[in-house]
Amino acid sequence: MADRRPSYYEVLGVDRQASLEEIKKAYRRLAMRYHPDRAQGEPGAEDRFKEASEAYAVLSDPAKRTEYDRFGQVKGFEAGASPFDNASIQAIFSDIFSEIFGRKKKGAKRTRGRDLKYDLHISLEEAAAGAEKEIRIPRKVRCATCNGSGAHPGSELRSCATCDGSGEIKLQQGFFSLKRTCSCCHGEGKIITNPCRTCFGTGLAELEQVLSVKVPSGVGDGQRLRVAGKGEEGVNIATPGDLFVHVIIDPHPLFTRDGTHVRCEIPISISEAALGCQLQIPTLTGKVRMRIPAGTQSGASFRLAGKGFLPLKGKEQGDQLITVVVETPAELTTRQRELYEELFSQEKERLPRRAAFRRTLVERGRQ
C-alpha cells in the first residue's frame, strides 16, 4: 500500500482553521529553512521547499483553498508537481521573499543613488584640532535640462506597446499568475522617443560640486566619514546615495601618533645633557618652554600633559611624550678635540654606569 501523501496543512504545520496570516508565517518559517540559497547541502531541502511552496500557493488563495477543502485537490493542478522552477516560485511569492532575504519587489520605478568615495588628505594638526575642508567631487545630479525626465524639453513620452503602459508583463501558466517588470520600459510604462541631449535619456547629469566636509577632532588615519545624501542622486527623484570620505593623515616630520598621545624626539648636545638647559619644544598647537635637567641621559622621556589628541568619544586628552636623544659630534676641530681630551681625563669618576659596566666585565671574566 502506497504511503499517504501529507495534506497541505500538514506540510505547513497548521490546522485547517488557520488564518491567512498563520499560513503565511508557517510558509515563511519553512522557506527560510529550506530555500536552496540557505540550505545548501542539506538532504531533501529542495523537495521540502517545493512542497511548502506548493501548499502555500493553494492555501493562500481563498478560492483554491475552498476547492481543496471540499475535494482534496485543485482542478488543473496535479499534486506533487509544480509548473514552475524555484526561481519562478520565488517571483510568485516576492512579498514573502522580500521579508526573508531583504529584497525589494520587482518593478520598483525608483532607484537609490549610488554611494561615492573620496580620499581626503589632512595634516596631523588638522586631525588633532578638527577641520572643515572643501572638496570638489564629480557626482550625478538631476539633469537641469530635462528636470530628470530623460526626455528632450518639449517632446512627449510614448506609451509602451509591450506592456500597454502598465510597466508589467503578466504571465499565465495553469492557475499560476506571474507579473514581471517590462524589459522594454523598465517598469516606467512610457518610452522616451526623443532623449535629452544633456543626460542622453538617463535623467542624471554629471556635475562637479564643491562640498564642505567636517572633520572631527581626534579622527584616526583610515577612518571613514559618512556625509548623508551627498552621493549621486537617485533615478526618478529617489533617495540619493551617501558620500563616504576616507581620511588619510599625512606623515609629519616631527610627530608620530600613539593612540591619543603624540611622540617626538628632541636632539640635544652632550653639553646640554650634562649641564642642563631650557629648550623650545614644538607641539601640535605651538611651542612651549621645557627645562632639561643636568645629567639627562640619552633616551630619557618627558611628558607634556594635555598636548596630545582628544578622543572621538570621551574627554580625557592625551599627552605629548618626548624622548631626548644626546647627539655626539661627528667631526671635531683641533680645539674641540683638545677640550674633549681634557674632559675625558677628568670625567671617568663621574660616569657611574660606565664604571659599573666595566666592573661587571671584569667579574664575568674571572668566572
Side-chain angles (χ1 to χ4, degrees):
M1 183 175 180
D3 293 338
R4 184 183 68 86
R5 175 180 170 82
S7 71
Y8 289 148
Y9 294 101
E10 291 172 333
V11 169
L12 295 182
V14 298
D15 57 40
R16 289 184 171 272
Q17 286 73 42
S19 65
L20 180 59
E21 186 63 28
E22 290 173 331
I23 291 173
K24 181 176 179 180
K25 285 182 179 180
Y27 174 66
R28 181 181 185 277
R29 175 177 52 80
L30 293 173
M32 287 185 68
R33 177 176 176 181
Y34 295 114
H35 189 276
D37 289 347
R38 285 177 171 256
Q40 295 181 5
E42 183 175 343
E46 184 175 351
D47 291 338
R48 292 294 304 275
F49 175 73
K50 288 181 178 179
E51 289 177 354
S53 299
E54 177 185 316
Y56 179 76
V58 172
L59 299 185
S60 63
D61 186 301
K64 294 182 179 66
R65 183 178 180 180
T66 300
E67 184 178 349
Y68 178 77
D69 288 344
R70 290 182 63 187
F71 304 107
Q73 62 180 7
V74 177
K75 186 178 180 181
F77 185 85
E78 181 183 351
S82 174
F84 290 95
D85 58 15
N86 286 340
S88 299
I89 293 173
Q90 181 172 330
I92 295 170
F93 305 123
S94 59
D95 59 330
I96 289 180
F97 282 89
S98 65
E99 297 176 15
I100 299 175
F101 300 101
R103 298 172 182 163
K104 294 182 178 179
K105 291 183 180 181
K106 295 185 177 181
K109 298 182 181 181
R110 295 186 175 185
T111 305
R112 181 183 181 275
R114 189 166 62 94
D115 292 332
L116 298 178
K117 178 179 177 290
Y118 184 88
D119 290 338
L120 177 63
H121 288 260
I122 63 173
S123 67
L124 194 65
E125 289 89 346
E126 289 173 326
E132 188 160 346
K133 307 286 286 187
E134 281 193 349
I135 63 174
R136 291 182 174 273
I137 186 167
R139 57 191 293 257
K140 289 185 178 180
V141 298
R142 192 190 312 174
C143 178
T145 304
C146 65
N147 197 30
S149 69
H152 185 69
S155 65
E156 294 183 355
L157 301 180
R158 175 171 56 85
S159 179
C160 178
T162 303
C163 63
D164 294 327
S166 67
E168 295 179 326
I169 301 296
K170 186 175 181 181
L171 304 176
Q172 188 78 30
Q173 189 166 357
F175 68 88
F176 283 97
S177 179
L178 172 65
K179 289 184 179 181
R180 290 183 176 175
T181 302
C182 177
S183 60
C184 294
C185 64
H186 305 289
E188 298 294 331
K190 300 288 184 181
I191 299 293
I192 298 174
T193 57
N194 188 5
C196 172
R197 273 66 160 174
T198 302
C199 66
F200 305 102
T202 64
L204 299 174
E206 190 168 285
L207 180 68
E208 186 178 72
Q209 289 193 332
V210 178
L211 302 175
S212 180
V213 177
K214 289 186 177 181
V215 179
S217 60
V219 69
D221 185 51
Q223 205 155 352
R224 194 173 70 163
L225 306 176
R226 175 175 171 266
V227 186
K230 293 303 181 181
E232 292 185 352
E233 292 192 6
V235 178
N236 291 339
I237 322 179
T239 304
D242 298 328
L243 170 64
F244 292 93
V245 179
H246 182 247
V247 176
I248 301 173
I249 301 177
D250 294 327
H252 197 281
L254 297 177
F255 306 114
T256 57
R257 184 173 179 178
D258 182 4
T260 59
H261 301 312
V262 177
R263 294 184 178 275
C264 72
E265 289 187 349
I266 304 296
I268 63 174
S269 68
I270 294 176
S271 301
E272 289 173 322
L275 302 175
C277 61
Q278 289 276 350
L279 294 180
Q280 290 275 3
I281 304 297
T283 72
L284 292 173
T285 56
K287 294 180 179 180
V288 297
R289 292 190 66 83
M290 188 180 78
R291 175 168 176 75
I292 303 296
T296 294
Q297 303 297 311
S298 185
S301 295
F302 299 90
R303 184 184 298 267
L304 292 176
K307 293 298 183 181
F309 279 73
L310 270 172
L312 283 175
K313 295 181 180 180
K315 298 181 180 179
E316 187 174 347
Q317 189 163 5
D319 304 325
Q320 180 166 324
L321 308 176
I322 300 165
T323 301
V324 171
V325 179
V326 178
E327 186 174 13
T328 304
E331 297 180 4
L332 297 175
T333 65
T334 301
R335 178 57 180 158
Q336 287 172 335
R337 178 172 289 277
E338 292 173 353
L339 292 172
Y340 271 106
E341 288 175 350
E342 182 180 350
L343 176 63
F344 177 70
S345 65
Q346 300 179 23
E347 70 177 359
K348 295 179 181 179
E349 300 162 354
R350 302 294 182 181
L351 300 174
R353 292 180 63 185
R354 182 173 179 269
F357 175 75
R358 294 206 169 190
R359 283 196 305 270
T360 302
L361 286 179
V362 172
E363 291 171 358
R364 296 287 292 180
R366 291 174 181 171
Q367 295 178 0

